[in-house]
């Protein structure tokens, strides 16, 4: 579904959707889940569980499961992986509801049939290994447990440790990074060894809640680590310790976490410790307000958040990092300060953001990069690479196995191809969309095709339709988001209903009449037009370097404060 619908590769087709339809249509008694031999024995939690599931990654194939003996011990970041849905019978998928993992939050997905089936399979598998605990504890940091087959009988599921050493091999020591970055030692956090951490909960792929009883007996902290793309972890650490603190940016790490590696006696940095803010993100708050779970957000709060986020961006742009490329409600934390609910930017990796949040000058480059690295057709790949190299001399694709190298401003080719003035304009674009979310009390913008479509609500209210935003702010948001295709009436042409996608032509009709082929064709039309627009835009940009005019960040701040004084005097 990702390559056939949600990404630019949809243009080039995928046989998986049609194959699923054929499989469902041709199901018979032998493959039916009504046949006793195909039935799952139980999907109820075990009475005395030996495993705990903390969450499920968005694609439904990665599970944050830990044996109970590992709780309260150093987090080894050993995640569990299962095959994608096309690797096992459609009838079994219906029972296990794996597709629903895409629609639910990580924690809610733990209650699905697939989650309970995975837990039961892990219980059986680990119970057959008399030395399982010692095997588990001896695994390298960031390795994995692979479930190679999904079947109704957990005893027939093939499960193995997959002891990858790539993560530990990519780790750099404190000394190596200090010499590479040349940052004053006073800016460096103290080091704490991984063995001092006690795991409490895995929030998602990068965030583990831990305690450090040897230093802070009663407090809970965030241990941030990556088991893929470690280069982004190090780049974020560099930004933290090279940038002056700001009240609306998450504070510097309290500690760097080191790990004794298995190669050459190296002690590498495997993560860092941040304060834990339990109030959640701005997205959570906006969703709860929109859903009526909590009272409506006051205009006073909305203006304070808008002003403080803008001030944080100005601070970043005036500091060594130079720009913040992933602005969206998920990356804004809430923090109670002096009895007032305030906001803080998080996630300083400078990796880039979702297509739907990125301005065209960024997203259009990323389309080409995605096609150049994912499509198998050589002529298509070569055309994309040629266009990228014309715009970005020396362009090379990134991989998850790239070793860390010192980079002044990250690894996003799209953002690095812009001048500093253009980067500021690109951030203003995202800020305008965030303002729309804040003042419309919407957790998402609901206007693109991408992975976010699974988690978005109220798709009928979408950017840039104004319903609640003060009239005095609407023109500001319009000028900030200049260049957004939505202003020209372009909106996504597929919608989600339950766990399925349908073309918008199906609205008002019976949803079961839709077909996978029809949906895929609608997605293909969307992406074909998007990629054509991207090529035209980038070709023009390569020739004359034209830029889209948007206000400066300081002008945005002045406009917000002026409107606030008008609407909320005193």
């Amino acid at each position: 579904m990702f390559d056939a619908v949600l990404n630019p590769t949809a243009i080039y087709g995928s046989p998986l959707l049609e194959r699923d339809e054929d499989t469902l249509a041709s199901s018979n008694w032998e493959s039916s889940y009504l046949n006793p031999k195909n039935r799952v024995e139980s999907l109820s939690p075990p009475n005395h569980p030996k495993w705990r599931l903390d969450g499920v990654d968005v694609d439904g194939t990665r599970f944050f499961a830990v044996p109970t003996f590992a709780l309260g011990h150093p987090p080894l970041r050993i995640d569990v992986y299962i095959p994608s849905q096309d690797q096992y019978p459609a009838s079994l998928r219906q029972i296990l509801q794996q597709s629903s993992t895409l629609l639910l939050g990580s924690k809610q997905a733990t209650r699905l049939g697939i989650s309970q089936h995975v837990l039961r399979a892990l219980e059986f598998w680990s119970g057959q290994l008399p030395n399982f605990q010692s095997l588990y504890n001896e695994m390298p940091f960031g390795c994995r447990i692979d479930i190679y087959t999904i079947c109704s009988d957990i005893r027939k599921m093939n499960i193995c440790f997959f002891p990858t050493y790539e993560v530990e091999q990519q780790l750099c020591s404190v000394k190596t990074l200090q010499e590479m970055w040349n940052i004053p030692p006073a800016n460096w956090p103290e080091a704490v060894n991984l063995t001092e951490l006690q795991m409490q909960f895995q929030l998602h792929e990068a965030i583990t809640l831990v305690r450090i009883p040897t230093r802070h007996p009663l407090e809970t902290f965030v241990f941030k680590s990556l088991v893929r793309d470690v280069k982004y972890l190090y780049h974020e650490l560099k930004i933290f310790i090279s940038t002056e603190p700001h009240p609306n940016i998450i504070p510097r790490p309290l500690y760097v976490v080191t790990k004794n590696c298995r190669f050459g006696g190296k002690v590498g940095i495997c993560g860092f410790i941040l304060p834990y803010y339990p109030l959640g993100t701005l997205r959570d708050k906006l969703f709860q307000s929109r859903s009526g779970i909590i009272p409506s957000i006051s205009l006073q709060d909305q203006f304070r958040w808008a002003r403080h986020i803008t001030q944080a961006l100005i601070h970043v742009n005036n500091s060594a990092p130079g720009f913040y490329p992933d602005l969206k409600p998920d990356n804004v934390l809430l923090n109670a300060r002096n009895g007032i609910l305030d906001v803080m930017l998080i996630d300083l990796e400078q990796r880039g953001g979702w297509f739907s949040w990125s301005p065209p000058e960024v997203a259009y480059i990323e389309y080409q990069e995605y096609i150049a690295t994912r499509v198998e057709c050589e002529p298509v790949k070569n055309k994309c690479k040629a266009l990228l190299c014309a715009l970005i001399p020396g362009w090379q694709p990134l991989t998850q196995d790239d070793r860390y190298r010192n980079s002044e401003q990250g690894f996003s080719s799209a953002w690095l191809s812009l001048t500093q003035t253009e980067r500021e304009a690109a951030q203003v674009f995202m800020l305008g969309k965030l303002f729309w979310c804040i003042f419309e009390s919407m957790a998402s913008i609901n206007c693109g095709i991408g992975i976010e479509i699974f988690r978005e609500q109220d798709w009928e209210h979408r950017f840039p339709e104004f319903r609640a935003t003060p009239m005095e702010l609407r023109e500001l948001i319009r000028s900030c988001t200049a260049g957004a295709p939505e202003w020209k009436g372009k909106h996504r042409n597929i919608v989600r209903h339950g766990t399925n996608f349908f073309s918008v032509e199906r609205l008002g009709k019976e949803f079961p009449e839709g077909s996978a082929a029809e949906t895929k064709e609608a997605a293909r039309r969307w992406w074909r037009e998007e990629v054509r627009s991207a090529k035209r835009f980038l070709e023009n940009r390569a020739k004359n370097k034209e830029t889209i005019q948007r206000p400066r960040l300081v002008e945005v701040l002045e406009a917000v404060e002026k409107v606030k004084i008008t609407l909320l005097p005193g």
Side-chain angles (χ1 to χ4, degrees), residues 46 50-51 63 65-69 78-82 116-137 139 143-149 153-163:
K50 297 179 180 178
W51 285 77
F63 290 72
V66 291
T68 53
F69 64 73
I78 302 175
D79 298 332
V80 178
Y81 293 78
I82 69 172
Q116 297 306 316
H117 200 58
V118 165
L119 280 178
R120 284 185 165 272
L122 291 171
E123 292 250 351
F124 177 79
W125 167 68
S126 58
Q128 304 306 300
L129 301 175
N131 58 342
F132 174 74
Q133 184 167 342
S134 60
L135 282 173
Y136 186 93
N137 290 329
M139 286 293 110
C143 77
R144 51 195 281 168
I145 294 172
D146 281 340
I147 300 179
Y148 293 101
T149 54
D153 189 344
I154 58 173
R155 293 163 294 190
K156 296 179 180 179
M157 290 168 62
N158 183 14
I159 307 176
C160 293
F161 279 115
F162 191 78

Side-chain angles (χ1 to χ4, degrees), residues 242-244 249 312-323 409 420:
S242 62
T243 306
E244 289 300 315
I249 299 175
L313 289 176
I314 292 172
H315 177 78
V316 169
N317 279 257
N318 290 334
S319 304
F323 64 98
Q409 294 180 311
Q420 183 57 39

Side-chain angles (χ1 to χ4, degrees), residues 305-487:
W305 299 342
R307 288 167 43 241
H308 287 177
I309 291 169
T310 308
Q311 289 169 347
L313 289 176
I314 292 172
H315 177 78
V316 169
N317 279 257
N318 290 334
S319 304
F323 64 98
Y324 183 87
D326 196 11
L327 189 62
K328 58 179 184 281
D330 308 67
N331 284 340
V332 179
L333 269 186
L334 297 175
N335 179 33
R337 185 183 290 124
N338 299 324
I340 296 175
L341 195 60
D342 210 348
V343 288
M344 291 187 305
L345 295 183
I346 59 170
D347 200 349
L348 306 178
E349 297 175 356
Q350 290 188 322
R351 194 186 300 219
W354 289 341
F355 292 149
S356 59
W357 279 85
S358 298
E361 60 266 33
V362 171
Y364 287 169
I365 293 176
E366 292 175 339
Y367 290 174
Q368 301 301 316
E369 289 188 304
Y370 198 91
I371 294 171
T373 55
R374 300 295 182 95
V375 171
E376 296 181 1
C377 178
E378 286 301 320
V380 171
K381 291 175 69 170
N382 291 336
K383 286 182 180 179
C384 288
K385 289 179 180 179
L387 181 58
L388 288 166
C389 289
L391 196 65
I392 311 170
W395 175 86
Q396 290 292 329
L398 294 175
T399 71
Q400 291 184 345
D401 296 327
D402 290 339
R403 297 295 179 93
Y404 175 72
R405 55 180 171 80
N406 194 14
S407 172
E408 290 302 316
Q409 294 180 311
F411 303 96
S412 169
S413 297
W415 281 88
L416 293 179
S417 71
L418 306 177
T419 66
Q420 183 57 39
T421 299
E422 291 169 335
R423 287 178 200 156
E424 182 178 358
Q427 294 165 86
V428 168
F429 180 93
M430 295 185 294
L431 183 61
K433 287 195 168 183
L434 186 64
F435 281 1
W436 182 88
C437 288
I438 290 174
F439 288 98
E440 292 292 323
S441 290
M442 289 292 294
S444 52
I445 48 180
N446 303 302
C447 61
I449 292 179
I451 194 171
E452 65 269 27
I453 196 173
F454 288 116
R455 302 290 171 85
E456 290 179 338
Q457 302 290 331
D458 297 319
W459 58 263
E460 77 283 353
H461 184 190
R462 54 200 176 196
F463 174 83
E465 179 189 359
F466 292 115
R467 297 183 183 179
T469 301
M471 295 296 296
E472 296 84 350
L473 279 178
R474 297 184 183 188
E475 186 55 38
L476 175 64
I477 292 174
R478 179 184 285 272
S479 62
C480 287
T481 55
E486 292 83 12
W487 289 115

